[in-house]
Amino acid sequence: MEVVRSQRKSSVPNDAVSTLPLYRSAPPLEVRLEDFEFYAIDRLRVLKGISDGLSRGKKPDEMEKLVYDLWKENMRHPQASEVANKDIISHFVLRLVYCRTEELRKWFLSMETTLFRHRFLHENPEVQKALFAEFDLPYKAVSRAEYETVKDMLSQVARSIGQSTDVIFYKVPFEEVPELVAGRRVFIQEGNAYIAMSQVVSLVVTQFRSHLSKALVLTNRKWTSMIREQEKDRLTPIIEALSTSYLGPDYSQPTKHTDISLKDIDQIAKSSFPLCMHHLFGKLREDHHLKHGGRMQLGLFLKGMGLKLDDALAFWKAEFSPKVVAERFDKEYAYSIRHNYGKEGKRTDYTPYSCQKIISSTPGVGDHHGCPYRHFSEENLRAALTRMGVGNQAVEDVLGKVRNRHYQLACTLTFEAVHGSSCDAGINHPNQYYNDSRKILESPNNSSNP
């Protein structure tokens, strides 16, 4: 891979080299197609980790550690010289991915801005000052003479933010630092806010966010008018798939919890099924039938649990028997079950659906698949959670996350309420929910081991 860097001269001095690019323009580059995708996926792991941390209400110091750990873990490269290239390439690939709708742009803008803020704060003061200069902001440090006229007030500000009283202050229009004004962390006089050097991050982040917001709109125009059609056979399928990518295990091969007996399914469903599968299983028992979407979602989940093909055929045949005679079942339904196990058609070994895929589905009338946290009414969701044994306060917490469209976090809170155990990794897959549940319930220290 060869990356040709921009010829723009940097104002960062030699002894204060920054590892934080401003992503003002994509440099001309050649990148292998597999790196194009892999770099983007690695950065997406960082952004989704940040999103999860913010959704879970992590404190600033916890977020600082989280962002540092996520970046260190995912943005490495075997060749140290390529780390910066991976950073730049991954950003511009995801800019293509997330420029395509207003909702995608909003999420990407928020996560990239949060990432930039934490990386800026991690730089040393000299680099921060140099990066500030990169934005060409029309602000100058407060002169010594002016400082003397407001010295007492600025000293109070410095002490309140834990700074020494001899720090450099900048004077800027107060409307350009709304978060500092709201937090009462600046001195305001005649429409200007006096901000300490340590608070410059607010100005820099505002400028970064503004530039990226405009760039995403422009990228969308290029994508719609030119790139999507030109790259329809090569890049477009990758770009369109990345925003809904599931980044964890595919659960195509069952884990150690593979000893699934048909006689145990009822008890396991009650104790270890996530709400989406709990609902499907209940409807199957109630109606003795599920439409295609429901059969696929539940059937592949059971396969991922470790249900063997012969047992799967027996299970579905028995469940359908009150409404579907054996001959009709063998003719109309058995083929699709064998197909899911890779025994028919193209012999594809299908994988269980991830949360992302389930959330993005669109159930129709009479369908029972999909994500209850997204597709249920609040009243129905409240009732379903209560039936699972979720307490009143936990139900309210779950509903709060649902109202903010944090569906996977709502499922995580449900898991924690049902099992009385934290799930710091979050729930990203129904089979992960099941596996984690079995680990807890089968622990020697768990008295409720079913």
Side-chain angles (χ1 to χ4, degrees):
M1 179 184 66
E2 179 184 2
V3 175
V4 181
R5 297 187 179 280
S6 168
Q7 298 302 307
R8 180 177 59 85
K9 292 183 179 180
S10 173
S11 62
V12 179
N14 292 333
D15 59 346
V17 178
S18 172
T19 59
L20 178 56
L22 302 180
Y23 313 109
R24 286 178 168 169
S25 60
L29 54 83
E30 293 179 6
V31 57
R32 294 181 303 175
L33 194 61
E34 55 266 37
D35 288 340
F36 181 93
E37 184 173 10
F38 291 155
Y39 288 1
I41 288 174
D42 282 348
R43 192 183 193 92
L44 197 50
R45 294 183 198 278
V46 176
L47 299 186
K48 289 194 173 183
I50 291 173
S51 179
D52 184 64
L54 293 172
S55 300
R56 292 178 72 89
K58 287 187 178 292
K59 298 175 181 177
D61 58 334
E62 294 174 324
M63 283 301 301
E64 183 179 349
K65 183 179 186 306
L66 175 66
V67 173
Y68 176 81
D69 290 344
L70 286 168
W71 188 264
K72 184 177 180 181
E73 178 182 353
N74 294 288
M75 296 303 289
R76 295 173 297 185
H77 194 283
Q79 297 174 298
S81 60
E82 292 297 324
V83 172
N85 289 340
K86 180 178 180 179
D87 180 5
I88 295 169
I89 291 166
S90 62
H91 171 87
F92 280 99
V93 174
L94 291 187
R95 199 183 273 193
L96 266 180
V97 172
Y98 283 89
C99 75
R100 296 173 298 120
T101 69
E102 184 177 354
E103 185 176 358
L104 290 176
R105 288 193 295 272
K106 184 178 178 181
W107 183 86
F108 181 70
L109 182 62
S110 178
M111 295 309 110
E112 278 285 340
T113 301
T114 301
L115 174 61
F116 180 85
R117 171 189 293 277
H118 284 281
R119 292 182 69 194
F120 181 88
L121 288 170
H122 193 69
E123 298 281 8
N124 67 53
E126 284 302 313
V127 169
Q128 289 179 346
K129 189 174 181 180
L131 285 169
F132 181 68
E134 289 273 343
F135 284 96
D136 297 323
L137 297 172
Y139 312 130
K140 294 182 180 180
V142 174
S143 67
R144 173 54 60 182
E146 185 176 0
Y147 177 81
E148 289 298 328
T149 65
V150 289
K151 180 177 180 179
D152 291 342
M153 296 303 299
L154 295 186
S155 294
Q156 290 182 34
V157 170
R159 285 194 296 270
S160 70
I161 61 174
Q163 295 287 315
S164 64
T165 57
D166 59 351
V167 297
I168 299 172
F169 281 85
Y170 288 84
K171 187 169 69 171
V172 304
F174 78 92
E175 64 270 17
E176 297 190 17
V177 285
E179 62 184 64
L180 296 181
V181 174
R184 299 187 177 186
R185 301 196 299 275
V186 292
F187 169 58
I188 299 176
Q189 180 174 271
E190 298 180 353
N192 291 310
Y194 291 73
I195 67 170
M197 185 63 207
S198 62
Q199 297 170 311
V200 160
V201 64
S202 248
L203 287 171
V204 173
V205 168
T206 298
Q207 293 296 318
F208 176 83
R209 184 184 182 92
S210 176
H211 167 76
L212 181 56
S213 179
K214 294 173 184 175
L216 284 168
V217 173
L218 293 174
T219 305
N220 174 251
R221 291 175 187 168
K222 291 181 181 179
W223 168 259
T224 304
S225 64
M226 182 175 61
I227 302 174
R228 180 172 58 190
E229 182 61 26
Q230 286 182 350
E231 295 288 347
K232 64 180 181 180
D233 297 323
R234 193 173 67 112
L235 296 184
T236 298
I238 297 174
I239 293 297
E240 293 181 342
L242 273 170
S243 63
T244 56
S245 292
Y246 166 65
L247 306 177
D250 62 13
Y251 297 95
S252 57
Q253 299 298 321
T255 61
K256 69 175 184 178
H257 304 288
T258 58
D259 192 16
I260 305 300
S261 170
L262 289 179
K263 66 181 177 62
D264 296 328
I265 283 188
D266 282 282
Q267 179 58 45
I268 291 174
K270 183 178 180 181
S271 62
S272 296
F273 277 22
L275 182 55
C276 56
M277 302 305 172
H278 194 274
H279 174 66
L280 280 170
F281 189 80
K283 283 298 179 181
L284 177 61
R285 283 286 160 90
E286 180 182 328
D287 299 338
H288 302 291
H289 189 268
L290 285 175
K291 295 174 78 171
H292 177 72
R295 296 197 304 273
M296 289 292 290
Q297 184 172 312
L298 180 60
L300 290 173
F301 169 76
L302 294 173
K303 175 191 172 188
M305 282 172 48
L307 191 67
K308 304 302 182 189
L309 175 57
D310 289 344
D311 286 340
L313 288 165
F315 168 77
W316 288 101
K317 191 170 190 175
E319 292 302 326
F320 275 35
S321 61
K323 289 187 175 180
V324 179
V325 298
E327 183 177 334
R328 182 186 166 200
F329 179 88
D330 292 339
K331 183 178 180 181
E332 297 182 17
Y333 298 101
Y335 177 89
S336 65
I337 296 170
R338 292 196 299 271
H339 191 268
N340 284 348
Y341 280 78
K343 304 301 181 183
E344 300 286 359
K346 295 180 180 179
R347 310 285 171 168
T348 300
D349 193 16
Y350 289 91
T351 59
Y353 292 171
S354 68
C355 289
Q356 196 77 36
K357 184 176 179 67
I358 292 171
I359 289 169
S360 62
S361 64
T362 52
V365 177
D367 284 327
H368 299 294
H369 64 283
C371 174
Y373 301 100
R374 181 185 177 191
H375 299 118
F376 277 20
S377 68
E378 187 168 307
E379 181 181 356
N380 287 343
L381 180 56
R382 188 187 297 273
L385 291 169
T386 301
R387 287 194 294 271
M388 284 187 73
V390 180
N392 291 338
Q393 184 54 55
V395 167
E396 295 306 318
D397 292 341
V398 170
L399 292 175
K401 297 303 180 185
V402 169
R403 293 183 192 112
N404 289 313
R405 298 192 294 181
H406 299 312
Y407 307 118
Q408 289 171 235
L409 185 52
C411 187
T412 302
L413 293 182
T414 301
F415 179 95
E416 293 175 341
V418 169
H419 295 86
S421 177
S422 63
C423 181
D424 292 337
I427 298 298
N428 297 291
H429 198 292
N431 288 88
Q432 174 209 349
Y433 184 110
Y434 166 76
N435 287 345
D436 289 353
S437 173
R438 299 317 299 169
K439 288 176 186 177
I440 292 172
L441 296 176
E442 293 173 4
S443 168
N445 298 325
N446 193 302
S447 58
S448 61
N449 188 341

